[in-house]
Every structure is written in structure tokens, then in C-alpha cells.
Amino acid sequence: MSSTRGELRHVMLGSIFPPQVPLGPNRDILITCHASATGKGKLHGNPECRTLRAAASVDQIDIPFGEAVERLCANCRWPLPTDSPILPLGAAVNEVDSLTIWLDRESKDEEDIEAQRDAALALAVGDYPPRASDEEEEDDEAGRDEEWERYDRARNIRSQRHEHWRRLHSYLTRSNEAVAKYPFLAPWAEGLQTRLTAVLDDERRAFAALVQPASLLEAAAVRVLPTPQFTHDPGFAGLGAEAEKTFRRAWYAWSQRAIWCWRRLEDQDFSVYTVVSDAFGRRRKGKPEAHAAFRQLTADWIHQARKEAGRTVSTPWRLVAVKAPTLHRAHHSEPERDTLTLWEAAVIATYQVAFNRKTGTTALLVPHLIAEQLLACASPDMPVQHLAPDGSALPAEALLEQWIPEPRPS
């Protein structure tokens, strides 16, 4: 055992290390245990453990970790020096063993399956119910309420699928990092990682079914649109001198939300509405006319983006490799944060053609516009690169296996 005795951590070795976990060179580390003088039964980290109370006498022994692991009391804590190599090994074992949380869960019942199907049908139209006329609103108010509830459920299901898929990906990636640090864990980890990969792919497909590829392509088309030039419109009169500034703010708000989201372009119009409303403040004169003018502007921007997306339909698709980041581990009392944008996550889930479990890398076959946006604007902590830029005919799986991700330039 390490000679550093100043600082200690009390660790439940018996619950961290199942007997089947390989220990590598750590198996020879001596740990201090307490046991019944008969030499039988469990080994304990605390001489006051309640299961030792019936023992006539208790001995303290130093025993190699590898010999002790099958007899460790699951309720005891062992005092270990903070520089003990057992501590980082235990953390790595935890990363792999945590995969079992997501395995052998009950299969989804028919109600869950039907809810997923209905969510896919609803979201194929958009994130919100189609707009109804004033007459329709009055004639069937209860029906409209039910329709809004249906779309709320659909969006929630999509968000849950997205979050669960990303969470599983993070668990798998962290277990890979643990095995890379301790290669002797690989035989034990292999089965768990293989099973989790299958669960991960099921979640990816379920999430992708709730996203529209056309919306992802149109979002990428927005990025390449030229910045619109301000022109005076009678509808802007109520904004006075703030008209041009409001115009530019509206374009920026709409385009940034559109570029990095999985929703239809029409579903981003609230960002424009908010900019215009903020510009008016409490003033009402000219406000309805301004909103109408900006609705037309937004419709024009959408038309231009769809025209650009359609123009590139015949452009050859690109094979791209990405290494998606794990969820950011914040303080234990805070939720984990995902650095991937909604658009990036949806693109990875939708266009995956190969996945390398051991490296956590993904090959995507994507439209040209989407490839360009990934390569130019991807999250700083997500390496992205063309696969087969020299025209290699190797399958995506082989190319992905050869790819060595490099950090993106800051």
C-alpha cells in the first residue's frame, strides 16, 4: 500500500469491485483488513462492523488486494491514502459498471410504442399544430386544445429521446476512456459495451424518427444566405429611427435560431415577433403593421433558404467523420450540459452510416450543405473531418477505424 498516510479517503471497496473485475498489477497491493480470528467469513475495512460483533476476537491482517476482493464486505469502508492506485482504478471500474444501469430494462409497452408513432406523425408536420382560422378556433375550441396537448407530448417525447441518446453516448464514451487507461479491464468491459451499443443505436433511431431531414438541410441553407439589405417598408413606420436596427436584430435572431435547430423554418418566427415587440415596448401605434411586415420578411427569408436547399439537391453527398463530445460534467448538484447544438445532434442521429464503439466516432453521409456547416461551424470540442477526400473506395467502417480525431483549432 502507498506510504502516504496524511490524507485518507474511506472507500466501499466491496461494492466498487465485483469479484470478476480484472485488477491488473493492482492485485498485489496490500490492504489492511479485519476478520474473525477463525480466518473465515468476510474481510472488513472497519473493526467495528456489525457483522463482526458476534466474533470471539478480531484480527487485523494485510492481504493482497487480488486475494481479498472476493471476500470484501459490501458495507465497509476502507481508509486508503489519497495517492493509492486503487482509487483511480475504482473510478474507472465505476465508469464501466455504470453501463449496467441502462441494460436489461423492461421493454416498452404498446402504449409507449403508439405514443412514439403519434409523435412522429405530428412532428412530420411541424412543432406546433397548423394554424386555424378564427372561425375554426371558435367552432372547435376543445379540439384545438387537444391538438396543442398532442404536440406538447410529441415535443416532450423528442426531447426525452434526444437527451437519453446523448446520455447513453456519454456513458459509453467514458467507459472507453476508462478501458484505454486500464487495458486489462477490456475483457470484462467488452460484453457490457457491446450490449450498450445496441441500446444506444435503438435510441438514436427512435430520436431520428422524430426529426425531419428536410428541416436540417434548410437550416444549413440559411447559413449561406447573404445578409439581407434593409429597405424601407410602410409597415416599419411605427418603429421610426429604430426600424433598421430592428430589421438587423430580427434577421440575426431568426437566422441563428434557424441554423442551429431541428425545427421547421416557420417555427422560428417567434424570435422575430419577440424582437419587434421589444422594439415597441409599451407603444402600440404601428405595432400590428410592423408585425405583419416582418411576417412577410420572414416568409421571404424562408423562401430564399428553400430555394438554396433545392439548388444543391443534385450536389454529391459527402462522407464526414465526427467525434461527438460527452455531456459536460458540471458540479454534482447541477445538471449535465450538452455542448452539441440541437441541429448537430439531429444531424448525427439522422445521417449516421457507421459507428466505432471503441473510439466513439461516427461516419455521416450528408448533403453537401450540411457537410459544409459541420466542417466550418461545428462545436469547438467536436472534431470533424472529411472521410476519403482522396476518393478511397473503402467502406465507411474501415475509413472510420483509420481516422484519428484531431482537436479543432481554437
Side-chain angles (χ1 to χ4, degrees), residues 63-144:
I63 184 171
F65 190 34
E67 294 180 21
V69 70
E70 293 188 7
R71 298 174 55 194
L72 296 178
C73 172
N75 299 314
C76 278
R77 295 180 181 272
W78 270 259
L80 298 180
T82 55
D83 62 350
S84 170
I86 292 177
L87 294 176
L89 174 60
V93 169
N94 270 334
E95 294 290 9
V96 177
D97 196 49
S98 63
L99 303 186
T100 59
I101 298 172
W102 310 107
L103 302 174
D104 299 328
R105 291 191 161 196
E106 293 183 7
S107 58
K108 294 177 175 59
D109 58 27
E110 187 59 36
E111 185 176 342
D112 291 331
I113 295 171
E114 183 56 38
Q116 173 85 15
R117 290 188 189 129
D118 186 66
L121 289 172
L123 295 173
V125 178
D127 270 42
Y128 304 95
R131 286 190 174 93
S133 65
D134 293 340
E135 292 80 6
E136 289 173 326
E137 288 279 5
E138 292 178 2
D139 292 345
D140 190 17
E141 186 174 343
R144 294 295 294 174

Side-chain angles (χ1 to χ4, degrees), residues 293-350:
F294 274 94
R295 277 197 298 272
Q296 183 57 54
L297 268 177
T298 306
D300 293 342
W301 297 339
I302 292 172
H303 175 74
Q304 293 170 33
R306 291 203 169 122
K307 184 177 179 181
E308 180 64 26
R311 188 179 66 79
T312 62
V313 166
S314 59
T315 306
W317 285 31
R318 312 276 283 278
L319 190 62
V320 176
V322 301
K323 183 175 174 61
T326 62
L327 299 178
H328 177 67
R329 276 185 152 163
H331 188 270
H332 66 86
S333 63
E334 300 174 359
E336 292 182 314
R337 182 173 58 87
D338 195 349
T339 58
L340 278 188
T341 66
L342 299 181
W343 182 86
E344 289 168 330
V347 164
I348 294 171
T350 300

Side-chain angles (χ1 to χ4, degrees), residues 86-206:
I86 292 177
L87 294 176
L89 174 60
V93 169
N94 270 334
E95 294 290 9
V96 177
D97 196 49
S98 63
L99 303 186
T100 59
I101 298 172
W102 310 107
L103 302 174
D104 299 328
R105 291 191 161 196
E106 293 183 7
S107 58
K108 294 177 175 59
D109 58 27
E110 187 59 36
E111 185 176 342
D112 291 331
I113 295 171
E114 183 56 38
Q116 173 85 15
R117 290 188 189 129
D118 186 66
L121 289 172
L123 295 173
V125 178
D127 270 42
Y128 304 95
R131 286 190 174 93
S133 65
D134 293 340
E135 292 80 6
E136 289 173 326
E137 288 279 5
E138 292 178 2
D139 292 345
D140 190 17
E141 186 174 343
R144 294 295 294 174
D145 287 344
E146 289 180 5
E147 192 72 352
W148 276 97
E149 290 176 4
R150 179 193 180 207
Y151 276 80
D152 284 342
R153 286 194 301 271
R155 291 194 304 275
N156 287 337
I157 289 172
R158 182 179 58 194
S159 293
Q160 290 164 7
R161 289 294 195 185
H162 163 237
E163 291 167 5
H164 190 46
W165 168 62
R166 290 289 293 135
R167 190 175 298 113
L168 290 178
H169 173 270
S170 295
Y171 271 78
L172 181 62
T173 299
R174 290 168 186 156
S175 74
N176 282 330
E177 293 169 353
V179 172
K181 188 174 181 181
Y182 297 99
F184 55 81
L185 293 177
W188 167 63
E190 178 76 20
L192 292 174
Q193 292 178 324
T194 299
R195 291 169 61 198
L196 187 79
T197 301
V199 176
L200 175 65
D201 198 54
D202 286 344
E203 285 298 317
R204 177 189 66 82
R205 293 175 185 274

Side-chain angles (χ1 to χ4, degrees), residues 10 32-35 43-53 58 73 75-79:
H10 292 77
T32 300
C33 299
H34 304 273
L43 300 175
H44 302 268
N46 182 0
E48 303 298 324
C49 180
R50 64 178 181 272
T51 58
L52 282 174
R53 291 172 185 170
V58 175
C73 172
N75 299 314
C76 278
R77 295 180 181 272
W78 270 259

